[in-house]
Amino acid sequence: NQSAAAWLGFRRQMHDRYVRRSKEQKGRQPVSKIDHVKTHIKVENKHDMEAILATLVDENPIRDEVAGQTYRGRDAVAKRYGDLWEAFPDFTVSPTGLYEDGAVVIMQADYFGTKGAFNDHPPTGNSFNVRIVVVFNFEGDSIASEIIYLDYAGQLRQLGLM
């Protein structure tokens, strides 16, 4: 029967595809959401714009709760990171805790930087070191949004701007 032969041929193709994919993926572990956040932070600390944007969903909104700002889309997010890195040339984030639950990762971290030009203020050379909490929401394997909480008053005091 021709339809039975076609069915068997189809099943053989599917089996061969499954075996091939299994061999290709053997030894590869899926990347956890925490590992994805660690990669995001690593490239953020290197000020690598293309690499950081690659960790995000294209229309990733970043919500800065303290400033009351939401940055949407690749261009707005890129501008936000560029402005941040210009204002604090040695900007770094050092995670002190990462917690994963479903499609959410919560990060507690130390946030450090030395003031360059910032909000129409000339560089002071003053540094800040404040604790932040960031909530990362995932869509599949990419970061769909970031919500940032930090002690902005403490940051401004340490920079000599308050």
Side-chain angles (χ1 to χ4, degrees):
N1 183 333
Q2 200 172 21
S3 63
W7 172 248
L8 287 173
F10 172 75
R11 285 194 53 177
R12 186 172 299 121
Q13 284 179 338
M14 292 298 104
H15 176 266
D16 291 348
R17 186 179 299 164
Y18 171 78
V19 169
R20 187 174 56 252
R21 282 187 183 158
S22 295
K23 286 179 181 176
E24 290 170 358
Q25 293 177 0
K26 194 172 188 168
R28 276 197 236 163
Q29 295 295 321
V31 176
S32 74
K33 289 175 177 52
I34 286 178
D35 287 340
H36 189 84
V37 168
K38 286 179 180 178
T39 298
H40 176 83
I41 297 303
K42 181 180 176 181
V43 297
E44 183 175 11
N45 287 341
K46 289 181 177 180
H47 302 195
D48 185 337
M49 186 67 73
E50 287 307 310
I52 200 162
L53 293 174
T55 67
L56 309 171
V57 171
D58 283 341
E59 291 304 312
N60 167 273
I62 295 179
R63 172 82 183 150
D64 183 335
E65 286 297 320
V66 176
Q69 296 286 330
T70 300
Y71 307 89
R72 291 189 192 282
R74 184 177 175 89
D75 293 342
V77 169
K79 181 174 178 358
R80 183 245 182 210
Y81 279 113
D83 291 348
L84 180 67
W85 297 335
E86 183 179 337
F88 307 106
D90 59 350
F91 162 89
T92 56
V93 174
S94 298
T96 57
L98 290 158
Y99 314 93
E100 182 176 344
D101 186 17
V104 175
V105 172
I106 298 172
M107 177 186 72
Q108 181 177 336
D110 292 322
Y111 171 46
F112 171 85
T114 303
K115 187 187 163 308
F118 176 65
N119 286 350
D120 299 324
H121 297 282
T124 64
N126 293 347
S127 296
F128 70 89
N129 189 354
V130 296
R131 181 72 38 99
I132 64 171
V133 173
V134 181
V135 179
F136 295 92
N137 293 290
F138 278 76
E139 198 174 284
D141 292 333
S142 296
I143 298 168
S145 69
E146 285 179 65
I147 304 168
I148 304 164
Y149 300 89
L150 72 115
D151 178 7
Y152 193 56
Q155 180 185 20
L156 292 176
R157 270 194 302 279
Q158 290 176 41
L159 290 171
L161 299 174
M162 187 173 155

